[in-house]
Amino acid sequence: MLHQRIIRAAQRVPRPLRHRAVQRSCGKTWFIDRIAADLALARIRSHGVARAKDPLRSYHCPRCHGWHLTSAPARRDHSTAPKVTRRH
């Protein structure tokens, strides 16, 4: 019986990293992908009353190549806006 438990424990697959938040070099809580960050965001939102500094969205970090949560509102996309040029 004990031998079978040891074998099963050795064969058990560890939990995926995306379900765990870890600290990275940029000092923020790091998520492996957008899905993991959005799941954490949903968990925070499900706890009830919103506070001023609760995270609003997830974003990709170019420094650590992971995903973080932020309470800053989303930036407007300026790539589709017409470019204004000055003529002198």
Side-chain angles (χ1 to χ4, degrees):
M1 184 73 157
L2 180 61
H3 180 67
Q4 290 174 347
R5 283 188 196 171
I6 293 171
I7 291 172
R8 279 193 302 244
Q11 292 173 342
R12 202 173 301 140
V13 177
R15 286 183 171 179
L17 183 60
R18 72 176 183 207
H19 294 297
R20 291 184 242 152
V22 295
Q23 294 291 327
R24 287 301 239 203
S25 62
C26 61
K28 300 177 182 177
T29 303
W30 180 86
F31 299 94
I32 194 166
D33 56 16
R34 186 176 195 159
I35 294 170
D38 288 345
L39 285 173
L41 185 60
R43 265 184 265 130
I44 292 168
R45 288 180 177 168
S46 71
H47 284 118
V49 181
R51 296 178 305 225
K53 289 300 269 183
D54 276 353
L56 298 174
R57 63 184 177 90
S58 59
Y59 69 96
H60 183 260
C61 178
R63 185 172 174 192
C64 71
H65 304 290
W67 288 81
H68 304 299
L69 301 179
T70 182
S71 58
R75 294 181 185 171
R76 291 178 49 177
D77 183 20
H78 297 288
S79 63
T80 58
K83 295 192 177 193
V84 177
T85 57
R86 288 184 172 171
R87 294 185 183 201
H88 295 278

